[in-house]
Amino acid sequence: MTRYRENKNEIMIIDSLSNAEKYFCVHPLFAKAFEYIKLNMNTIKAGNYEIVGDELRAIVSNKRGKTMEESSSKFECHDKNIDIQLCINGKEKIGWKPRHTCTRQKGKYDPAKDVIFYRDAPDMYFQLTDQQFAIFFPEDVHAPMIGEGWIKKIVIKVKI
């Protein structure tokens, strides 16, 4: 599934790892990002990894999912990175809302962490399961890690 924005050429992408090659043209580092995921997802441990310096980094987590309220309290987006978020195993629900419709900023943008939070509620939720991913651009405010069981996931930070 690919969702195109009406007023822009940007897209939010939700798909399966088996279709990742379709998106290599979106950013020059996407091929390397998906190659890293495919080579490491079955053996990688929780932690932070540099793939290509600060241009391409991985964050791996393996923990219990959060409630909608817990996740929505960290309703976030980024200015300098695109997130490729892949569920390695488990069932992860993610909240989403377009940034241009968010009106309740929570604090200031943190340039060191490249994150800004909002108090708005997501407009919609979708679920990822084994080897499904979502790609979040700076225009996509997201609340990840919603679920009842264990969720192992990898987030690839792709510098814009």
Side-chain angles (χ1 to χ4, degrees):
M1 174 187 135
T2 305
R3 185 194 52 77
Y4 292 90
R5 291 188 179 80
E6 293 176 18
N7 299 324
K8 298 183 179 182
N9 293 331
E10 299 132 357
I11 52 177
M12 180 182 74
I13 299 163
I14 304 167
D15 210 332
S16 296
L17 189 57
S18 60
N19 294 322
E21 287 182 16
K22 292 179 182 180
Y23 308 103
F24 289 2
C25 63
V26 175
H27 189 283
L29 291 172
F30 276 17
K32 189 172 284 294
F34 282 109
E35 176 185 348
Y36 182 87
I37 291 169
K38 287 179 180 180
L39 289 173
N40 295 287
M41 71 177 176
N42 293 321
T43 58
I44 198 163
K45 306 282 186 222
N48 298 326
Y49 302 88
E50 282 190 13
I51 305 168
V52 180
D54 70 345
E55 299 291 309
L56 200 60
R57 298 175 290 118
I59 302 165
V60 179
S61 63
N62 189 13
K63 55 188 172 185
R64 283 200 161 289
K66 302 175 185 178
T67 66
M68 283 189 188
E69 294 77 25
E70 289 171 315
S71 183
S72 293
S73 72
K74 300 252 180 174
F75 199 34
E76 66 181 35
C77 64
H78 315 286
D79 285 349
K80 298 177 184 168
N81 288 282
I82 298 166
D83 277 4
I84 300 173
Q85 298 197 13
L86 178 120
C87 181
I88 296 171
N89 50 32
K91 290 184 180 178
E92 177 186 18
K93 188 181 284 189
I94 299 175
W96 174 87
K97 184 173 186 167
R99 187 177 194 170
H100 73 274
T101 65
C102 289
T103 59
R104 300 175 56 217
Q105 188 172 316
K106 182 179 174 181
K108 294 183 178 184
Y109 170 73
D110 182 342
K113 294 182 179 179
D114 184 36
V115 68
I116 188 162
F117 297 103
Y118 289 91
R119 288 187 174 92
D120 297 63
D123 282 352
M124 64 169 270
Y125 293 88
F126 59 91
Q127 182 172 289
L128 300 178
T129 190
D130 300 1
Q131 299 187 21
Q132 293 177 334
F133 66 88
I135 300 177
F136 297 105
F137 294 86
E139 298 79 17
D140 299 309
V141 183
H142 50 283
M145 286 299 292
I146 302 168
E148 294 179 9
W150 286 88
I151 301 168
K152 184 174 183 183
K153 74 180 292 181
I154 185 168
V155 177
I156 304 288
K157 297 284 191 180
V158 182
K159 191 147 199 150
I160 299 173

